[in-house]
Each structure stands twice: as structure tokens, then as C-alpha cells.
Amino acid sequence: MNANGTWTVYLAGEIHSDWRERIDAGVREAELPVELVAPVTDHEASDDVGVEILGPEPDKFWHDHKGAGVNAIRTQTLLRRCDIAVVRFGEKYKQWNAAFDAGFAVALGKPLITLHPPEHNHALKEIDGAAQASAETPEQVVEILKYTIAKE
Amino acid sequence: MNANGTWTVYLAGEIHSDWRERIDAGVREAELPVELVAPVTDHEASDDVGVEILGPEPDKFWHDHKGAGVNAIRTQTLLRRCDIAVVRFGEKYKQWNAAFDAGFAVALGKPLITLHPPEHNHALKEIDGAAQASAETPEQVVEILKYTIAKE
Amino acid sequence: MNANGTWTVYLAGEIHSDWRERIDAGVREAELPVELVAPVTDHEASDDVGVEILGPEPDKFWHDHKGAGVNAIRTQTLLRRCDIAVVRFGEKYKQWNAAFDAGFAVALGKPLITLHPPEHNHALKEIDGAAQASAETPEQVVEILKYTIAKE
Amino acid sequence: MNANGTWTVYLAGEIHSDWRERIDAGVREAELPVELVAPVTDHEASDDVGVEILGPEPDKFWHDHKGAGVNAIRTQTLLRRCDIAVVRFGEKYKQWNAAFDAGFAVALGKPLITLHPPEHNHALKEIDGAAQASAETPEQVVEILKYTIAKE
Amino acid sequence: MNANGTWTVYLAGEIHSDWRERIDAGVREAELPVELVAPVTDHEASDDVGVEILGPEPDKFWHDHKGAGVNAIRTQTLLRRCDIAVVRFGEKYKQWNAAFDAGFAVALGKPLITLHPPEHNHALKEIDGAAQASAETPEQVVEILKYTIAKE
Amino acid sequence: MNANGTWTVYLAGEIHSDWRERIDAGVREAELPVELVAPVTDHEASDDVGVEILGPEPDKFWHDHKGAGVNAIRTQTLLRRCDIAVVRFGEKYKQWNAAFDAGFAVALGKPLITLHPPEHNHALKEIDGAAQASAETPEQVVEILKYTIAKE
Amino acid sequence: MNANGTWTVYLAGEIHSDWRERIDAGVREAELPVELVAPVTDHEASDDVGVEILGPEPDKFWHDHKGAGVNAIRTQTLLRRCDIAVVRFGEKYKQWNAAFDAGFAVALGKPLITLHPPEHNHALKEIDGAAQASAETPEQVVEILKYTIAKE
Amino acid sequence: MNANGTWTVYLAGEIHSDWRERIDAGVREAELPVELVAPVTDHEASDDVGVEILGPEPDKFWHDHKGAGVNAIRTQTLLRRCDIAVVRFGEKYKQWNAAFDAGFAVALGKPLITLHPPEHNHALKEIDGAAQASAETPEQVVEILKYTIAKE
């Protein structure tokens, strides 16, 4: 009597390591009825999407602003549709949009799993405190999904 | 790891040009998992639907009122069901119902894409300000949908 | 570019005439992607379901109360799931639960179609005022559904 | 350690007996921090308010419709603002708008108290089943309010 | 037993006639417990607020965009806080933001009163259809408020 | 004209008897379109899941806390997705999480069926009062589901 | 720059010890702008309120049911109005309604503080896991309120 | 006809500069009806509040976790109660909880003002994109509040 239907899991945050692929591999191997969704992870495409589609902006701020709008169409829709949000904080960069997505997910009542190395524990304590689970490796996230979705 | 399932996109606004067909053509060509929905775009049918179905009204106001009610069953349901709302403002007419639909979508938390010629920029600044993206051509809308839904 | 997917239409109210069957026939003939749902319309079964399943009650009030609870599991779930609510007021009986369902639907933001003979117009003016359309015949309801769901 | 602040109690339904006055008297005597609110109970004023303010309608249906709209501005706002809804069903008339208000209140998660003579028990079983309490006299409603708001 | 507390009424739309002052005068004369709120109605101040506060933009689109953001902080908060929304459509201009506000209000479940000359009836039929009342003069709006808030 | 689509029924509470299996058997025999979902009912796995996946905790409180978080990802998601919640209180143990799930379901507007022996009637009176039905045997729950979902 | 206005704190659960009085004393001593609210804590009055007001019931189940309804009018309203819910689990009794209130509060997004002796840690692990803080003494709750509301 | 009542403005983010005091000074000078609220900005008190009140934890992760829970009682309540959220990103530290609060505010539909030096523009582009305004100085925020709340 396991959990029902397909589960949509949103993978937010860091785009410079292979954590999404490792979760994907684990989910496939376990044959979980999971659909993994994510923001666009091609850094350059994501940064430039606004001006690529809607026309150039000489001012960097509006260049970024246009891109942020287009990316938000994807990320906010996926956050509203997902069952579980996983947010990854990597070693580098500010990654403020990852934290923003975490807050957005929690305010919508979505369960949150954070994924980060232990050296971020103190800086992430408020977000970890709002999460149902804090993992250090993608494989732990897969184990949580297995337990959540397929454990009899 | 692209976005999941079928996306419902509501195409509100102008009914006197072929912008919906151009978005439809682009979406099909790109083989996007998108279901395009729209209000009834047959102008006369839309105006007269109330009295056609529910009986004639000698007073024009109530003639219109009856039609508006029936059209609202369709439009409000589709706005609640859609993932993304696209609202087109054409060159002519007041098009107040297009603006009404935009406000309705934003209050429900739906991402909004506006579509209009640049000469409307100033008149539409509040609505563009509430939108995630403002496009000038249907093809740009298709590009946004491609990026949102199918970009790896 | 018609409306998307399956539409769930809840048919509340009167159980002593064939109006549901007439809507069903019309919907099938028009091959609309509509799933019609309804409360249990077998009057006796509906009245007695509480005590039939959960054990007898000597007091009529609690006999009724038990049945109302079981019926509410069905009706409130269907009202939450439906896209459109149709509420029929017949010639006889108080039919207060029909009016209750109408209020429940409106508070949830569901489009409402009322269906009743013109002699009820005055008594139903508040509910008709909250409805998007007021029909006199089941065939008119079918026409509204056709227009709402299948009109290009 | 009693309950806090002012409580707004909406008194919906029958307008042809003195039940509101009796609740009002009881609430004042008990010095409860209660604000009683209600629809307009002047029958004629309520029926004609639409055309009185917005201009005459030769067609009775639209005469009623205009009035229903204006009354809804008051009743729906009060239902959204109230803490508790009391709905009275009297001996006469259809009173469908009372039942509509009950459904509206329940869908918003407002506690509901019904008030009616026992001969309506069967006809009101669905609404009583959705209510937290069913009273037969206004004085019982006052007792419930005392207990709810002022009982230590 | 009149309606309770202070009512907040949001007056959206046209800024080039004295309709707000006339409603204000009527509300004061009737001593209604009403707080009237509105967007900034100083046209130039409203257009330029973004760049005035946050710095100049050479591009007109972003000039407008900045202003729209600041105005939205006011208008969206007031729409969420109001009890009733009144939306005025004047004789001139596109007034799309008025229609946007109307849609926003309706999606939030706020009662809507439209105010416009009869020549706009057809263009505004969808919005009038979603409104509880459509008035032609500010004095009619005052009468509706009197009835809604102070009628015994 | 029976109820539509698949119904998701969440079975919360006691894990030391075969009540879920009996409901499952009844649902299959009746060929109901029901998907039964449940928390993990392997007691030891449930207690230890946090430390099993996320690493050991020497302090029992945090051992439990980690497990509770992972279990909540499953239970809260299923409670949000279900159409009906069934909560079973057995003869033994505190079973506070069963009561917590009941409160969670009711606050979300989900219909609630309680299942417990009559000796718990008094202790469970508040929860039974918030439920649409209170059953004593799993077979009664199956009957309610049959009536709710498949009764013509 | 401390937190604003009056805070409403709901004190749910055990009625056989003086924990509410101790929180009340602490809150007054600290002069916090807190309004403490609670269910009726007079055990007998709470058990019998249904039949006291609404008339006797020979069947104990309905005796309890009537009382539960009246109590729910108070508790559910206060839970919806409170800013913070504190739920106390004492040494004795099942206290299922305390756990029910905790679940209700969490589903509404209210911050939850649990209060119980350490020997309940394991049985309450799911509820503690959903709480923002778990205290062992009423004085700790007062400290949390001080910090939350008055700490500069 | 300015905006109504008291406005609650939540000041999230950086705690190592005097930006809150500068907004406070500006708001007082302008005599705005604004209540400024904020998280606890005493860094050490905030970090240690969990163990100070609820008892020591040898493990740093749980030390932080306890504190995060207590802080969340304050911050999440204030975010739900505020009319406008201002989020400040300073020059130093990760400040992930500031970004989390921004996401939380946006998902609740609260207008958002970001406040940060231009060198953060690119890293904050997603959050700025979800904000109604992005300021560089506290004085600009005060100007926005003046315009929003007191501009005739």
C-alpha cells in the first residue's frame, strides 16, 4: 500500500555540479514514479534568455531583469506544481535564488529537503529549520524519495 | 531534465488577428506538450451566446449581460486551470476584458505574458509591470514557451 | 483551439425528474469531454445510508444526521473537484440542500448554472444573481456546456 | 482566560419574526463583546434596492437581479468578515437564500449554527449535518455565544 | 443591527474627473464608517515615481516599469485590504489598469461596483457581468454604500 | 451517473492490526476506483528512517526528530493529495500522530472518517464531532466508500 | 523595533494542571501585548455543554457529539484567529483533541509550540517535528513569547 | 484620499549596519502610520536563543536548529502579518535567510522591496525580478513608503 501516482520533485539551486544527474540516476534505478523538474541549468542560456528572446538591453540591470522574468515563468510554475522541493546549496556563489525558492516552497506548504555540505550548516540554519530533512549527498535524497514514495 | 507533463496556456485578448494561430503553429512545430485554450473568438457568437441559448432580451444591456455570464463560465474556469496566461492587446478597440483577465490571472498567482505592439507600452505599463514578460510578436511567446517547458 | 481536457460537471439538486438523464443524453450526443457527477439520487438509499452502514438510531434526528454525514463525504468532495456546478430547483419540496450546494460552490469560486422553472425566479433571485447563467431546461444547460467546452 | 476581542456574528435568514431582536437582547444582557450583523431585513427595501438606486427595470427578472447584486455586496462581505454564522429557517417561504448563505459560510470554514423549529429537521438534515450546532430558540443561540465567547 | 466596523472601499480607475470627491462628499454627509482609498491620482507623480525615487532611466519602457512597480505596492496592498472595489471607467484613454484592478478584485472574491457612462456598456459587458452592481453616477455608488453599510 | 475518476483515500493511524488490509480487500472486491495510501507502517523502519538515511544521532530526541521529518514528507504530501482521510485509533498506545493527522485533514477541508472501537467514543468525541462518519469496523469504511464513489 | 500590535496565543490541551495560569502570570509580569485564549477548561461544563443548552440526549454518543459541536465553535474560531498555538500534553489521559488541535494549527500555517514532559518525547515525535519549539515548562513558553514579541 | 490605517512593514535581512534605524528615522520624520517590525537583530541572542530557553545542545547543528525554530515563530508570523516586506542584502555573509524571507513573502502575495548595493545586482536578479522595487539606500525605501501610504 505505497504512495500514489506520479510525484513531481523540483530540484532547485546549484547548477555547477552533477547532483541532479545523480538523483536522476538513483530515481531511475529504483524505478520510482518520479518526474524530476528543474530550472534551466545552462548558465549562459539562463542569464541571457531575456534578451535572446525579447531583444537586447544596453543596461545590464534590465538585461538581467528580462531574463529573471522568463526564468520565473518556469520556476514559479514548477514550484506550484511540485510535491516536494529539493534545494541544493553548493560550495560557491551566493545562490540567493536557491534560498528564495526554498522560502517560496515553504510558504506554499511544500515539503522541503535541503542538500548541502556540512560547512554551510550554520549559514543555512534558518532554512534547514524550515526543511523536513537536510541531506549531504544526492544519494541521501534518493533514499528519502524511495522511503517516501515506494516504501510499503 | 525538462519541465513536466502537459502545460495549459490560456490565450486571452484580441480576436481580430491571427496571433493565436501563429502561437499554435509554433507550438506544434516545436512539439511542445502544450494545450492552448482560449475564449470563444467568433465575435458574433460570443456577443449573442446569452440570448441564443437562454432566450431573447429586448434590452441591449441584459442581452450583453446574459452573454457575459456564459462566456465567464468558460474564461474563469480556464484561467483557474491554466499554468500560464498570455494576454494580447491589439491595435484597436478598448479590450477591457483582456486587461480584466490579466488582473484575474495575476491575483491567482499565474505567470503572465503580455503581447502587444510597442505603441501600447505606456498605456499598458501597470499590466506589463505585473507580467513576467512582455512580447511584441507571437513568435517570441513561442520562444518563451519553448524555453520554459522544453529547455534542458 | 477549444477548451482543454475533461470537464467535471456537478449536477446538484432535485432528484424526482429526469433532468440529469436529459443532460447526460445531450452531452453524449455532442460527444463532449464531460464527466457528469451527482449526489446519490436514490431517495430512500440517501436517507437511510447512515443507519444502513453505521447502525440504527432510534431518534429520527440522529438517523438523518448519520446519513447527512455520509452523503457529505460524496457531495463536498465532488463540489471541490468539479469545474462547473449545475443546481436544479424543481417544483416541489424545500430543496434546501440544493441551495446549500450553490452557496458552497460560489464560495469556492466555481461557476454556477441554475436550472429552474420561471415561477421560482423571485424566490431564487439571490442565487440566480450569484450564478453565471440561469436556465429553464436541461437542453439549455447542454448548450451552455457545448459552448463552454467545445466551441471553437 | 476567555476568548479574545470582538466577535462578529452574522444572522442570516428569516426576516418575518423577532429572532434577531431576541438574540440582540440576550447578547446585550450578557454584555458579550459581540457585533451582530445581518442582511437588510426590510423586505420591500431589499426587494427594490436595485431599481431604487440604479434605475427601473420593466422586466421583473432583471428588477430582482439588480437588487440581488446590491444585497450580495452586503451579505458576501459580512459572511467573509464574520466569526460565526447563524442561519434561521422560519415556518414559511422557500428561504433558499438562507440555505445559500449556510453553504457559503461552510465552504469558507466558518462555524455554523442553524436555528429552526423541529418540523424542519428532515428537510434541513444536510445543512444541520454541516453545522456545529442546531438550535430551536434564539435563546439557545445566545447561550452558545455566551459559552463560546465568555465562559472561563 | 447594521453592518459592523469600518469598511474600506477602494476607488480604482479614472483620474481626470471629480468622481472620487463626489463619493467622498456623499460618504461624509451620510456619516458612513467608510475609509476611501485610492491609487495616487496625481498623473505626473504617478508616471514618474519610479525614476524620481529610484533614479533616472533613459529608456521610456523602464522608466514606466519602475513607476509601475512602485504604484503596484500601493494598489495591490489596497486591493487585498479593501472590502469593496469601485472601478471607474471615464470617457477617455485606454484605462487598462482600471480593468486590471477589476479582474484582480474579482479573483480575490471582493465585491465589485463598476461606474461608467452607458456608452461603455457594450465594451464593458464582461466586467459588468462580473460586478455586483454597475452605476452611472458617483451618487449611485454612495447610495449603494449607504444601503450596504448603514441600512437597518 | 456515479462519481468521477480515481479517489485517493489516506489511511492514517494504527499500524498494529490488519485494518488496512481489510479495507484494501473490500475495495478490490468492490472494484472501486480507489487508490489507498498510507504512512509507512513498518514500525521499526518508520522510527529509524531519519538516522538510517541521514546519519546517526546519539541523542534519542534528535534521532526521533530526524525520522519525524522524513515521515512528514510522506504524510503531509499524501494528506494534501487525498480526497478522503480515514483515521484509525486502535486499542493501544497514545496514537497522537493519528489525531494530528485528523486535525490536519479537517483544516484542509478533507472529509474525515474515524474508525475506532466504541470504548474510545468519549475520548474521541471532538474528533468524531469533526468527522463526517465514525465507523467501528473496516468493512463499514468500505461500505461508505462504495456508497460515496460507486452508488448510482 | 519590536514586533507589532497584540498577539493572540491559543493555549490548547491539558486542563488538569495550572500551566495556563503560569503562562498567564509570566505574560503579565513581562507586560507582553498578548491575549491568551483557550478552550473551556471546566471539564464538566465542557462535557455537558451540548445537552445543557440544546436539550438532553439519552445516548451518550450523541450527548458527547452535541457538546463537541459547541466546543468546536470556540476552538476552531480561536485557532483561525491566533498567531501562535501552544499545545500542552499532560501526564494523563489520551488528550487526542490536543493532538487534533496541533494538526489543525499546522495545516493553517500557524507556528506551534508543544509543551510536555520528556517522557512523552517518543510518542510525540511527529508533532514535535511539526512544531517550531518543544518546551518542558510553562516558563519556557513565556520566554519564547518574550523573545518573539518583545525582544529588540 | 490617502491610504488607510496602519501599515506593517517587515524589515528582513542584514543586521550589521544601521539601515533599519535610518528607515525608522525617515518614517517618524514623515509621520507615517507605519509599524516597523523585524527579526531579532542581536546576532548572539538570535544564534543562542534555542539553547538559552530550551536547554543546551552539545551538537552545533541542533544548537542552531533549536534557535532557528524559535526565530521562525517570530519571522513567519510577522511575514504573514505584514503589508510590505523590505529585504536588505548587505556586503557580507551569505544572508540566505534574507533570500528565504523574500521567497516566503512573494509566495504569500506580499509586495517586496529589495535593498542592496549595485554590486549585488547580478546575484540578486531573480529576487529583484520578483520585487516591485529595488532600492540602494534606506532613504529610497522611506520615499517609497511615503508615496505608497501618504501621497494624496
Side-chain angles (χ1 to χ4, degrees):
Chain A
M1 204 175 302
N2 65 347
N4 72 317
T6 298
W7 291 58
T8 300
V9 179
Y10 185 65
L11 304 178
E14 195 210 16
I15 59 174
H16 299 97
S17 75
D18 65 348
W19 69 278
R20 282 188 186 81
E21 287 67 28
R22 286 163 65 188
I23 289 178
D24 192 29
V27 159
R28 286 173 196 237
E29 197 186 318
E31 298 185 347
L32 295 179
V34 161
E35 226 167 339
L36 297 173
V37 292
V40 167
T41 56
D42 173 336
H43 194 157
E44 199 177 345
S46 166
D47 270 10
D48 296 340
V49 64
V51 299
E52 278 294 326
I53 296 178
L54 300 169
E57 291 295 329
D59 184 325
K60 182 72 167 81
F61 183 82
W62 299 117
H63 176 112
D64 281 349
H65 188 83
K66 270 187 169 173
V70 176
N71 283 305
I73 296 173
R74 175 162 172 155
T75 56
Q76 291 187 13
T77 303
L78 292 176
L79 277 165
R80 288 185 192 279
R81 285 164 66 144
C82 77
D83 294 296
I84 297 173
V86 179
V87 183
R88 162 77 182 165
F89 295 88
E91 271 89 12
K92 296 187 297 186
Y93 304 105
K94 294 283 187 190
Q95 306 178 80
W96 280 326
N97 58 340
F100 179 87
D101 285 355
F104 198 94
V106 169
L108 296 179
K110 308 287 182 182
L112 174 67
I113 302 170
T114 56
L115 172 61
H116 58 83
E119 54 266 34
H120 283 343
N121 280 358
H122 185 64
L124 283 170
K125 69 183 198 298
E126 313 291 352
I127 301 178
D128 284 347
Q132 272 69 31
S134 295
E136 293 182 17
T137 69
E139 286 68 32
Q140 288 175 317
V141 175
V142 173
E143 290 305 311
I144 292 172
L145 294 178
K146 270 194 216 170
Y147 179 85
T148 299
I149 298 167
K151 173 78 182 166
E152 294 293 320
Chain B
M1 202 174 303
N2 66 346
N4 72 317
T6 297
W7 291 57
T8 300
V9 179
Y10 184 65
L11 304 178
E14 194 210 17
I15 59 175
H16 299 98
S17 75
D18 66 346
W19 69 278
R20 282 189 185 81
E21 286 68 28
R22 285 162 64 187
I23 290 178
D24 191 30
V27 160
R28 287 174 196 235
E29 197 186 316
E31 297 185 348
L32 296 179
V34 161
E35 226 167 339
L36 297 173
V37 293
V40 167
T41 56
D42 173 338
H43 195 157
E44 199 177 345
S46 166
D47 269 11
D48 295 339
V49 64
V51 299
E52 277 294 326
I53 297 178
L54 300 169
E57 290 295 331
D59 184 324
K60 182 73 168 80
F61 184 82
W62 298 117
H63 175 113
D64 282 350
H65 189 83
K66 269 187 169 173
V70 176
N71 282 306
I73 296 172
R74 175 159 173 158
T75 57
Q76 291 188 12
T77 303
L78 291 176
L79 277 165
R80 289 186 190 279
R81 285 163 67 143
C82 78
D83 293 297
I84 297 172
V86 179
V87 183
R88 161 78 181 165
F89 295 88
E91 273 89 12
K92 294 188 298 184
Y93 303 105
K94 293 284 187 189
Q95 307 178 78
W96 280 326
N97 59 340
F100 179 87
D101 286 354
F104 199 94
V106 169
L108 296 178
K110 308 286 181 182
L112 174 67
I113 302 170
T114 56
L115 172 62
H116 58 83
E119 56 264 35
H120 283 343
N121 280 358
H122 185 63
L124 284 170
K125 69 183 199 297
E126 312 291 353
I127 300 179
D128 283 347
Q132 272 69 32
S134 295
E136 294 183 16
T137 68
E139 286 67 33
Q140 288 176 317
V141 175
V142 173
E143 289 306 310
I144 292 172
L145 294 178
K146 270 194 216 170
Y147 180 85
T148 299
I149 298 167
K151 173 78 183 166
E152 294 293 320
Chain C
M1 203 176 301
N2 65 346
N4 73 316
T6 298
W7 291 58
T8 300
V9 178
Y10 185 65
L11 304 178
E14 195 210 16
I15 58 174
H16 299 98
S17 74
D18 66 347
W19 69 278
R20 284 189 184 80
E21 286 68 27
R22 285 163 65 188
I23 290 179
D24 192 29
V27 160
R28 286 173 196 237
E29 196 186 316
E31 297 186 349
L32 296 179
V34 160
E35 226 167 341
L36 297 173
V37 293
V40 167
T41 55
D42 172 339
H43 194 157
E44 198 177 346
S46 166
D47 269 11
D48 295 340
V49 64
V51 299
E52 277 295 324
I53 296 178
L54 300 169
E57 291 295 330
D59 184 325
K60 183 73 168 78
F61 183 82
W62 299 117
H63 176 112
D64 281 349
H65 189 82
K66 269 187 168 174
V70 176
N71 282 307
I73 297 174
R74 175 162 173 157
T75 56
Q76 292 188 13
T77 303
L78 291 177
L79 277 165
R80 289 186 191 280
R81 286 163 67 144
C82 77
D83 294 297
I84 297 172
V86 179
V87 183
R88 161 78 182 166
F89 295 88
E91 272 90 12
K92 294 188 297 185
Y93 304 107
K94 293 285 188 190
Q95 307 179 79
W96 280 326
N97 59 339
F100 179 88
D101 285 355
F104 199 94
V106 169
L108 296 178
K110 308 287 181 181
L112 173 68
I113 301 170
T114 56
L115 172 62
H116 57 83
E119 55 265 35
H120 284 342
N121 280 358
H122 185 64
L124 283 170
K125 70 183 197 298
E126 312 291 352
I127 301 179
D128 284 346
Q132 272 68 32
S134 295
E136 293 182 18
T137 69
E139 286 67 33
Q140 288 175 317
V141 175
V142 173
E143 290 305 310
I144 293 173
L145 295 178
K146 270 193 215 169
Y147 180 85
T148 299
I149 298 167
K151 173 79 182 166
E152 294 293 319
Chain D
M1 201 175 304
N2 66 345
N4 72 317
T6 297
W7 291 58
T8 299
V9 178
Y10 185 64
L11 304 178
E14 195 211 14
I15 59 174
H16 299 98
S17 74
D18 66 347
W19 70 279
R20 284 189 184 80
E21 287 68 27
R22 285 162 65 187
I23 290 178
D24 192 30
V27 160
R28 286 174 198 235
E29 196 185 318
E31 298 185 348
L32 295 180
V34 161
E35 228 167 337
L36 297 173
V37 293
V40 168
T41 56
D42 173 337
H43 194 156
E44 199 177 345
S46 167
D47 269 10
D48 295 339
V49 64
V51 298
E52 278 294 325
I53 297 178
L54 300 169
E57 290 296 330
D59 184 324
K60 184 71 170 81
F61 184 82
W62 299 116
H63 176 112
D64 282 348
H65 189 82
K66 269 186 168 174
V70 176
N71 283 307
I73 296 174
R74 176 161 173 156
T75 55
Q76 292 187 12
T77 304
L78 291 177
L79 278 165
R80 289 188 190 277
R81 286 164 67 144
C82 78
D83 294 296
I84 297 173
V86 179
V87 183
R88 161 77 181 164
F89 294 88
E91 271 90 11
K92 295 188 297 185
Y93 303 106
K94 294 283 188 190
Q95 306 177 79
W96 281 325
N97 59 339
F100 179 87
D101 285 355
F104 199 94
V106 168
L108 296 178
K110 308 286 182 181
L112 174 68
I113 302 171
T114 55
L115 172 62
H116 57 83
E119 56 264 36
H120 284 342
N121 280 358
H122 185 64
L124 284 169
K125 69 183 199 296
E126 312 292 351
I127 301 179
D128 284 347
Q132 273 67 32
S134 295
E136 293 182 16
T137 70
E139 287 67 32
Q140 287 175 317
V141 175
V142 173
E143 289 305 310
I144 292 172
L145 295 178
K146 271 194 215 170
Y147 180 85
T148 299
I149 298 167
K151 173 76 183 167
E152 294 293 319
Chain E
M1 203 174 301
N2 65 345
N4 73 317
T6 297
W7 290 58
T8 300
V9 179
Y10 185 64
L11 304 178
E14 195 211 13
I15 60 175
H16 298 98
S17 74
D18 65 348
W19 70 278
R20 283 188 185 80
E21 287 68 28
R22 285 163 65 187
I23 289 178
D24 192 29
V27 159
R28 286 176 197 234
E29 198 186 316
E31 298 186 346
L32 295 179
V34 161
E35 228 166 340
L36 297 173
V37 293
V40 168
T41 56
D42 173 338
H43 194 157
E44 200 177 345
S46 166
D47 269 11
D48 295 340
V49 64
V51 298
E52 277 295 324
I53 296 178
L54 299 169
E57 291 295 331
D59 184 324
K60 183 71 168 82
F61 183 82
W62 299 116
H63 176 111
D64 282 349
H65 188 83
K66 270 188 169 174
V70 176
N71 282 307
I73 297 173
R74 175 161 172 156
T75 55
Q76 291 187 12
T77 304
L78 291 177
L79 277 166
R80 288 186 191 279
R81 285 163 66 144
C82 77
D83 294 296
I84 297 172
V86 180
V87 183
R88 161 78 181 165
F89 294 88
E91 271 90 12
K92 295 187 297 186
Y93 303 107
K94 294 284 189 189
Q95 307 178 80
W96 280 325
N97 58 340
F100 179 87
D101 286 354
F104 199 94
V106 169
L108 296 178
K110 308 286 182 181
L112 173 67
I113 302 170
T114 56
L115 172 61
H116 57 83
E119 56 264 35
H120 283 344
N121 279 359
H122 185 64
L124 284 169
K125 69 183 200 295
E126 312 291 352
I127 301 180
D128 283 346
Q132 273 67 33
S134 295
E136 293 182 18
T137 70
E139 287 67 34
Q140 288 175 318
V141 175
V142 174
E143 290 305 310
I144 292 172
L145 294 178
K146 268 193 218 170
Y147 180 86
T148 300
I149 299 167
K151 174 76 182 168
E152 294 294 319
Chain F
M1 203 175 302
N2 65 347
N4 72 316
T6 298
W7 291 58
T8 300
V9 179
Y10 185 64
L11 304 178
E14 194 210 17
I15 59 175
H16 299 98
S17 75
D18 65 348
W19 70 278
R20 283 187 186 80
E21 286 69 27
R22 285 163 64 187
I23 290 178
D24 192 29
V27 160
R28 285 173 197 238
E29 197 186 316
E31 298 185 347
L32 295 179
V34 161
E35 226 167 341
L36 297 173
V37 293
V40 167
T41 55
D42 173 337
H43 194 158
E44 200 176 344
S46 166
D47 269 10
D48 295 340
V49 64
V51 299
E52 277 296 324
I53 296 179
L54 299 169
E57 290 295 330
D59 184 325
K60 182 70 167 83
F61 183 83
W62 299 116
H63 176 111
D64 282 349
H65 189 83
K66 269 187 170 173
V70 176
N71 283 306
I73 296 173
R74 175 162 174 156
T75 56
Q76 291 187 12
T77 303
L78 291 177
L79 277 165
R80 289 186 190 279
R81 286 164 66 145
C82 78
D83 294 296
I84 297 173
V86 179
V87 183
R88 161 79 182 163
F89 295 88
E91 271 90 11
K92 295 188 296 185
Y93 304 106
K94 293 284 189 191
Q95 306 179 81
W96 280 326
N97 58 340
F100 179 88
D101 285 355
F104 199 94
V106 168
L108 296 178
K110 308 287 181 182
L112 174 68
I113 301 170
T114 56
L115 172 61
H116 58 83
E119 55 265 35
H120 283 343
N121 280 358
H122 185 64
L124 284 170
K125 70 183 196 298
E126 312 290 354
I127 301 178
D128 283 347
Q132 272 68 31
S134 294
E136 292 183 19
T137 69
E139 286 68 31
Q140 287 175 317
V141 175
V142 173
E143 290 305 311
I144 293 172
L145 295 178
K146 269 193 218 171
Y147 180 86
T148 300
I149 298 167
K151 173 76 182 167
E152 294 293 321
Chain G
M1 202 173 303
N2 65 346
N4 72 318
T6 297
W7 291 58
T8 300
V9 178
Y10 185 64
L11 305 178
E14 194 211 15
I15 59 175
H16 299 98
S17 75
D18 66 347
W19 69 278
R20 283 188 185 82
E21 286 68 28
R22 284 162 66 186
I23 289 178
D24 192 29
V27 160
R28 285 174 197 235
E29 197 185 316
E31 297 185 347
L32 295 179
V34 161
E35 226 167 340
L36 297 173
V37 292
V40 168
T41 56
D42 173 337
H43 194 157
E44 199 176 344
S46 166
D47 269 11
D48 295 340
V49 64
V51 298
E52 277 295 325
I53 296 178
L54 299 170
E57 291 295 330
D59 184 324
K60 183 74 169 79
F61 183 82
W62 299 117
H63 176 112
D64 282 350
H65 189 82
K66 269 187 168 174
V70 176
N71 282 305
I73 297 173
R74 176 162 173 155
T75 56
Q76 291 187 13
T77 303
L78 291 176
L79 277 164
R80 289 187 190 277
R81 286 165 66 145
C82 78
D83 294 297
I84 297 172
V86 179
V87 183
R88 161 78 182 165
F89 294 87
E91 272 90 12
K92 295 187 296 187
Y93 304 105
K94 294 284 189 190
Q95 306 177 79
W96 280 325
N97 58 339
F100 179 87
D101 285 355
F104 199 94
V106 168
L108 296 178
K110 309 286 181 181
L112 174 67
I113 302 170
T114 56
L115 172 61
H116 58 82
E119 56 264 35
H120 284 343
N121 280 358
H122 186 64
L124 284 169
K125 70 183 199 296
E126 312 292 352
I127 301 179
D128 283 347
Q132 272 68 31
S134 295
E136 293 182 16
T137 70
E139 287 67 33
Q140 288 175 318
V141 175
V142 173
E143 290 305 311
I144 292 172
L145 295 178
K146 269 193 217 171
Y147 179 86
T148 299
I149 298 167
K151 174 77 182 166
E152 295 293 319
Chain H
M1 204 173 301
N2 66 346
N4 72 318
T6 298
W7 291 58
T8 300
V9 179
Y10 185 65
L11 304 178
E14 194 211 14
I15 59 175
H16 298 98
S17 75
D18 65 348
W19 69 279
R20 283 188 186 81
E21 286 68 28
R22 284 163 66 187
I23 289 178
D24 192 29
V27 160
R28 286 174 197 235
E29 198 186 315
E31 297 185 348
L32 296 179
V34 161
E35 226 167 341
L36 297 173
V37 293
V40 167
T41 56
D42 174 338
H43 194 157
E44 200 177 344
S46 167
D47 269 11
D48 295 339
V49 63
V51 299
E52 277 295 325
I53 296 178
L54 300 169
E57 290 296 330
D59 184 323
K60 183 71 169 82
F61 184 82
W62 299 117
H63 175 112
D64 282 349
H65 189 82
K66 269 187 170 174
V70 176
N71 282 307
I73 297 173
R74 176 162 173 154
T75 56
Q76 291 187 13
T77 304
L78 291 176
L79 277 165
R80 289 186 190 278
R81 286 165 65 145
C82 77
D83 294 297
I84 297 172
V86 179
V87 183
R88 161 78 181 164
F89 295 88
E91 272 89 12
K92 296 187 296 186
Y93 303 107
K94 294 283 189 190
Q95 307 177 81
W96 280 324
N97 58 340
F100 179 87
D101 285 355
F104 199 94
V106 169
L108 296 178
K110 309 285 182 181
L112 173 68
I113 302 170
T114 56
L115 172 61
H116 58 83
E119 56 265 35
H120 284 343
N121 279 359
H122 185 64
L124 284 169
K125 69 183 199 296
E126 312 291 354
I127 301 179
D128 284 347
Q132 273 68 31
S134 295
E136 293 182 17
T137 70
E139 287 68 33
Q140 288 175 318
V141 175
V142 173
E143 290 305 311
I144 292 172
L145 295 178
K146 269 193 217 170
Y147 179 86
T148 300
I149 299 168
K151 174 76 182 167
E152 294 292 321

